[in-house]
Structures are given as structure tokens and as C-alpha cells.
Amino acid sequence: DIVMTQSPDSLTVSLGERATINCKSSQSVLSSSNNKNFLAWYQKKPGQPPKLLIYWASTRESGVPDRFSGSGSGTDFTLTISSLQAEDVALYYCQQYYSAPVTFGPGTRVDIK
Amino acid sequence: EVQLVESGGGLVQPGRSLRLSCTGSGFTFGDYAMTWVRQAPGKGLEWVGFIRSKTYGGTTAYAASVQGRFTISRDDSKSIAYLQMDSLKTEDTAEYYCTRDFVGGVNRAAYDVWGQGTLVTVSS
């Protein structure tokens, strides 16, 4: 199975400041057949299910604010919240869907400073 | 509105069975593969298993941790996916989410629609 790791475990950011979350996979999730990275990002708030934010490493899901962006390729990926809002306080998970079984990172908690 | 709603969770003793249901609405349920994901208390997200659409044979796959004990099925006429859980163990205690496969490949997808989850507690 592909192992996903995330850093940091948690971070606190001031309102309006940038938050950056890193995700690393134990093997490349870049497909040579379609040149796409099989990497997604989810946001999870207490009492709510995960919400898909980003797929194909950098494609924003419909309705997701453009302050959320994803980047990276191969084994190293980043989720950036360009200007943190109060409603962004949550856990964030990366997920690889390159190979079965899909696996998730352990999560990064984002709080307001 | 596209929606998934799980039901059937609760408290069950080790070794017993439980069946979860996932009812879809707002989309053509039968066109999609459906996946179950769980989250144990204080733990991360874990893929449990999936079922393809009937168009592609309705094939299933399961995590090693539940293989042989859990069975996923679907009734597209009712827009329901089921997770039959037998021989439950305390380590199966988790919030169980039903999800819709969105992009990716067979049995390896990102999930764009999630149910609210249903809690399964396995304890004597």
C-alpha cells in the first residue's frame, strides 16, 4: 500500500495569512498514461463528513473558494490556503487514488492564531 | 440536491452482525461506483470497500482488515448501497461513510459526495 504522510501535524495561522500543508507519498502517484497526479485533498470539520477540495493534485472542486490551491507532482504535494478565514478551521487530509487500496494521510489540523 | 444518507449504525456486541444502508438521491445512483470509508475515534480515514456499477458487473473489493467479514451490495431500483458487517470486532468501531466515486480509476477514486456518516460501536 502507498503510505501518505503529512506535515505539519497542526498549524496555527492568523486570519488573512497563508497556510501551507505538505503531503508526501511513499511512491509516485503520477500516471504516465495521462500525466495526471492521482492526489486529492479533503477538508473535515467536526461532526461533518470530509469535503473534497482538490483532485488531480491541483483541480479545484466546484464551489471551493479560490483561496484553496493544490500543487506538486510525483511524491510531494502542497495544499495552500492563501488567506485563512475563520471557516477554514478544520482537519485537512490528502489521499492517493493511484493504486488500490486508496490511502489517506493522517491529517493536518489548522487553527486560528 | 445530490445527497447520500447512511443509516443502520448502533451498538453491537463483538461477533454479531450489522447492516448499514446508504440511500442516494439527486443523481442516477446506478451510474456510479460506491465506496465505504470509515474513521475510528481519534484515527484517520480508512478505505473499507467498494462496489462498481451494474454496468461494469457490480464487482466488489475490500480492505484486508474486513475481507471475508464485510459484504457490499446494491439495489439500484431503490438507490441504496449496503454494507453487511459480520463477525464484528471491537476494532471495527468507527464512523462509517458512504461515498460516491468521482474521478480516478476502478477501485481507486477521489470521492465527491459523502454521507453524514453512521456510528458503529462494537462493545460488550
Side-chain angles (χ1 to χ4, degrees), chain A residues 66-87:
Chain A
D66 60 7
R67 63 180 181 272
F68 291 92
S69 64
S71 63
S73 183
T75 61
D76 294 280
F77 300 91
T78 300
L79 175 70
T80 301
I81 310 173
S82 61
S83 175
L84 192 74
Q85 304 300 303
E87 60 265 33

Side-chain angles (χ1 to χ4, degrees), chain A residues 37 39 41 54-61 68-72 77:
Chain A
N37 288 282
L39 190 285
W41 288 96
I54 302 284
Y55 57 96
W56 298 132
S58 60
T59 302
R60 200 177 301 113
E61 168 69 327
F68 291 92
S69 64
S71 63
F77 300 91

Side-chain angles (χ1 to χ4, degrees), chain B residues 7-9 12-13 15-22 34-36 38 48-51 60-63 65-75 80-89 92 96-98 118 120 122:
Chain B
S7 60
V12 61
Q13 293 179 328
R16 304 297 291 264
S17 298
L18 202 62
R19 188 178 78 163
L20 307 183
S21 299
C22 167
M34 303 299 294
T35 294
W36 289 89
R38 68 184 180 183
V48 174
F50 103 123
I51 185 167
T60 56
Y62 302 94
S65 57
V66 307
Q67 180 76 47
R69 300 187 299 120
F70 289 14
T71 304
I72 299 173
S73 60
R74 63 191 300 157
D75 183 342
I80 299 178
Y82 300 100
L83 177 63
Q84 176 68 41
M85 303 184 293
D86 299 323
S87 303
L88 281 161
K89 304 176 181 180
D92 294 319
Y96 283 75
Y97 296 100
C98 171
T118 187
V120 173
V122 185

